[in-house]
Amino acid sequence: MVDLAAEPVLEITGLVKTFGALRATDGVTLDLRPGEIHALIGPNGAGKSTLIHQICGTLRQDGGTIRFAGQDISRTGVAERARLGLGRTFQVSSLAPEFSALRNVMLAVQAKAGSSFRFFKPVMRDRSLLDTAMAMLERVGLAGRADIAAAELSHGERRQLEIAIALALGSKAFLLDEPMAGMGPEGSKRLTGFLDGLRHQAPILLVEHDMDAVFALADRISVLVYGRVIATGTVDEIRRDPAVRTAYLGDHA
Amino acid sequence: MDMTRENIINLVLALLLLVVPLAASQMGQPFTVTLATRIAVLALAATGLNIALGLGGLVSFGHAVFFGIGGYAAGILASHVFSGEPMAFGFEGSNQMALIWIFAVIACGLAGLAIGAISLRTSGVYFIMITLAFAQMVYYFAISWPAYGGEDGLSILVRNQFPGINTMVPLSFFLLCYGVLIVCIGLFALLRNSRFGTALQAARQNEVRVASVGISPYGIRLTAFAISAMMTGLAGALYADLNKFVSPSMLSWHMSGELIVLIILGGTGRLFGPVAGAMLYVIFEFALGGITERWQFFLGLILLGVVLFARGGLIGLLAGKARHG
């Protein structure tokens, strides 16, 4: 159960982003509390990706504020937000394709340690990097594929690798942009089980089209339509909400 | 070091570059020794560029500026020893290579930081053009600055000295350059496998990934650009001593292009790519240059072939795809 009295980890207030006449984000207010999975759903073009980009810092909002881990990050850059503990996965996997799965995670481990300005020691003989990175790969079930170049991993494995990277960063919150996309039913099931446990490490803002996964995982759901949050509530509240039914869920609910 | 195919090829290239001049010197062919020295120095300059270009994906079309600054460091410091006129602060100049190298490396590091700080705010074609623009500015400055020879350049009457070595003996000077080259290739290897190298190569492959783990690509790239400049500058100082002459042509965009060509011929980002490239280049220049003045036409054809059919350059052709761990 979500503790609504707890201090939110991530708090978005009155966020606005316009592209010309289009209000892609139209006064969005939502928050993420410790231990919860907060799902963000909405039809294509509702502005989910635009919202994620603003939270990560790749897009600058036109108005409103974003607070994370107790501080205002509205004007903070991407790298700095990551350092503060905002871990993300991408809608389309974003990895260093030539590097092995292991070295991709090692990059995150060294970033966490703040030690990227070391010029001599070979990383492949650096136990502190290797062991931590390997442990993360084991947690997501990729240990057997550690030596494979990221470009040669399957779609699902790349998703898992991104999560391993977010884990290695010791993130205080996870932003997962459609982690189930392109996964087979077996993979989705496995990932659902994994995310279910992950929320206890850090809360998750989950953008997802797979409704089975959303209903199975979410503590709360926010529904985004035309850049606005039209409803926020528990799974049952959202299922019953008439506005949501007409706008989005249709016959599926 | 595990003996992968690439490591064996690297070892063969390293030995070849050492054994041929040793043999040539025994057989009384100093010209071959000079060619080998030219290969070693150009390979060193290209190894420097390979840090920015090969590891960082930063296509600098202005690295001649560092090559030239290194060359002028040697020329200017030596010229004051000969003229007896002190430089600023009563410093008398120097004909000691070790000191000259320190000057060259520091000057190029600072120039690299200044040029990099501005250039790295752009990317892609703009980065290529802005680095070219900086190099051309320095090139025209050198041409129009009469104090050190202007357009005519500056002669180094007697090759600068190194303790324990008679640098005027071609083989001795070659061995010195070869030693510096091997040390710098070793540094390149360390850098590539280090945490810094991981971040630098990751930034080439995927900038967004690097930023989203919390590493700012700009700082990493700027550092790499400065290190790259320093190594190319060191090569410039040796090049000036090899020719006993430095002129603005060391700063020209032809020189920048030549360094890029060396890397592409040999294999971008490969440890011995610059060595392989410099060998090919200098041997072509010598072999074809004896037959026709238009040897660069044929070099162009070969470059075209490499770009179309052998993207990994000579090393890639022989050793296969790069492994990144």
Side-chain angles (χ1 to χ4, degrees):
Chain A
M1 268 301 47
V2 188
D3 180 5
L4 287 174
E7 179 79 8
V9 178
L10 177 71
E11 193 173 17
I12 297 156
T13 317
L15 210 63
V16 174
K17 179 76 194 175
T18 57
F19 298 107
L22 174 74
R23 289 175 82 82
T25 305
D26 192 359
V28 168
T29 295
L30 59 83
D31 60 23
L32 187 63
R33 289 168 197 276
E36 79 164 332
I37 294 182
H38 189 153
L40 185 66
I41 63 172
N44 285 325
K48 299 187 296 291
S49 289
T50 308
L51 182 59
I52 288 283
H53 277 300
Q54 291 169 84
I55 299 172
C56 297
T58 39
L59 259 183
R60 182 60 52 86
Q61 72 280 0
D62 297 323
T65 58
I66 306 169
R67 290 180 62 81
F68 177 69
Q71 55 180 298
D72 189 342
I73 58 164
S74 308
R75 310 243 155 257
T76 311
V78 182
E80 180 61 27
R81 289 185 201 197
R83 275 196 290 276
L84 288 171
L86 199 57
R88 71 174 296 200
T89 68
F90 295 80
Q91 195 170 11
V92 177
S93 298
S94 183
L95 298 157
E98 295 167 23
F99 281 167
S100 65
L102 184 63
R103 203 165 178 190
N104 267 283
V105 184
M106 286 163 74
L107 176 71
V109 179
Q110 76 177 48
K112 170 105 198 304
S115 60
S116 290
F117 285 93
R118 288 194 198 158
F119 300 90
F120 299 114
K121 188 172 182 182
V123 289
M124 286 305 169
R125 270 180 244 143
D126 191 334
R127 291 250 65 102
S128 65
L129 283 184
L130 282 169
D131 294 347
T132 318
M134 205 63 203
M136 297 306 153
L137 285 178
E138 257 157 39
R139 277 192 65 186
V140 300
L142 268 185
R145 305 279 282 164
D147 293 332
I148 310 293
E152 285 157 29
L153 293 174
S154 75
H155 181 83
E157 288 170 334
R158 270 181 252 162
R159 296 267 151 201
Q160 287 164 277
L161 181 53
E162 286 204 320
I163 293 173
I165 290 170
L167 284 174
L169 290 173
S171 302
K172 295 191 191 106
F174 297 107
L175 275 149
L176 308 185
D177 197 356
E178 298 194 23
M180 308 285 176
M183 282 221 180
E186 197 48 44
S188 297
K189 225 176 121 191
R190 209 149 28 92
L191 189 57
T192 303
F194 179 77
L195 294 182
D196 200 16
L198 185 62
R199 80 179 92 192
H200 302 300
Q201 178 167 344
I204 302 170
L205 184 63
L206 177 71
V207 177
E208 188 49 66
H209 277 298
D210 180 340
M211 283 306 141
D212 291 336
V214 168
F215 287 145
L217 286 170
D219 298 292
R220 285 191 297 160
I221 299 175
S222 287
V223 184
L224 197 67
V225 178
Y226 295 123
R228 286 172 172 277
V229 175
I230 61 165
T232 296
T234 64
V235 173
D236 285 339
E237 286 165 359
I238 293 298
R239 277 186 202 265
R240 282 197 303 267
D241 192 305
V244 174
R245 294 181 78 107
T246 44
Y248 185 50
L249 290 176
D251 300 331
H252 297 294
Chain B
M1 187 166 55
D2 28 322
M3 271 298 139
T4 60
R5 189 158 167 185
E6 183 167 350
N7 283 339
I8 294 169
I9 291 164
N10 292 347
L11 198 62
V12 169
L13 288 177
L15 286 176
L16 205 62
L17 184 56
L18 179 62
V19 170
V20 170
L22 282 174
S25 182
Q26 283 293 315
M27 291 185 282
Q29 292 179 325
F31 181 67
T32 305
V33 179
T34 303
L35 278 188
T37 314
R38 194 170 143 74
I39 290 174
V41 174
L42 287 176
L44 177 61
T47 300
L49 176 59
N50 208 20
I51 295 172
L53 195 157
L55 299 183
L58 307 169
V59 185
S60 166
F61 197 17
H63 252 51
V65 73
F66 309 118
F67 197 60
I69 289 173
Y72 271 98
I76 291 172
L77 288 173
S79 76
H80 283 277
V81 172
F82 278 94
S83 67
E85 283 172 44
M87 300 175 73
F89 313 114
F91 178 58
E92 290 166 357
S94 177
N95 60 357
Q96 290 300 318
M97 283 189 193
L99 190 64
I100 287 169
W101 295 349
I102 292 170
F103 268 89
V105 165
I106 291 174
C108 288
L110 294 176
L113 281 179
I115 293 175
I118 297 168
S119 307
L120 287 167
R121 299 192 180 279
T122 67
S123 61
V125 174
Y126 298 99
F127 181 78
I128 297 175
M129 287 299 126
I130 198 166
T131 48
L132 172 64
F134 274 115
Q136 289 300 94
M137 275 167 54
V138 177
Y139 171 72
Y140 284 109
F141 175 77
I143 280 186
S144 58
W145 194 27
Y148 296 107
E151 206 169 355
D152 298 329
L154 189 61
S155 285
I156 299 172
L157 297 174
V158 178
R159 192 171 282 157
N160 293 305
Q161 297 164 7
F162 194 87
I165 289 177
N166 181 356
T167 55
M168 289 308 282
V169 177
L171 186 65
S172 304
F173 183 60
F174 164 78
L175 289 172
L176 183 63
C177 294
Y178 181 82
V180 174
L181 171 68
I182 295 299
V183 167
C184 286
I185 288 176
L187 287 175
F188 180 93
L190 284 176
L191 199 71
R192 187 174 64 170
N193 296 327
S194 70
R195 294 186 184 203
F196 177 77
T198 303
L200 178 61
Q201 292 169 82
R204 166 173 55 78
Q205 296 170 44
N206 187 344
E207 185 173 2
V208 176
R209 169 38 75 201
V210 173
S212 41
V213 297
I215 300 170
S216 155
Y218 181 80
I220 296 284
R221 286 176 174 154
L222 182 57
T223 310
F225 194 78
I227 296 172
S228 165
M230 292 193 279
M231 205 177 272
T232 300
L234 178 58
L238 288 170
Y239 195 75
D241 259 326
L242 169 65
N243 299 323
K244 288 181 269 176
F245 178 65
V246 50
S247 76
S249 71
M250 273 182 80
L251 293 157
S252 78
W253 64 273
H254 297 96
M255 192 66 231
S256 297
E258 204 173 305
L259 294 179
I260 295 176
V261 167
L262 293 185
I263 290 180
I264 294 174
L265 276 180
T268 312
R270 309 302 277 261
L271 188 59
F272 270 70
V275 174
M279 280 179 167
L280 279 180
Y281 188 88
V282 171
I283 291 169
F284 277 140
E285 185 183 40
F286 173 68
L288 290 173
I291 303 165
T292 166
E293 274 180 36
R294 299 186 173 49
W295 67 275
Q296 285 188 320
F297 171 79
F298 296 97
L299 181 75
L301 284 183
I302 289 163
L303 192 62
L304 203 63
V306 167
V307 171
L308 287 177
F309 305 112
R311 293 291 285 275
L314 184 65
I315 299 281
L317 207 60
L318 297 174
K321 257 187 87 194
R323 290 268 309 133
H324 282 286

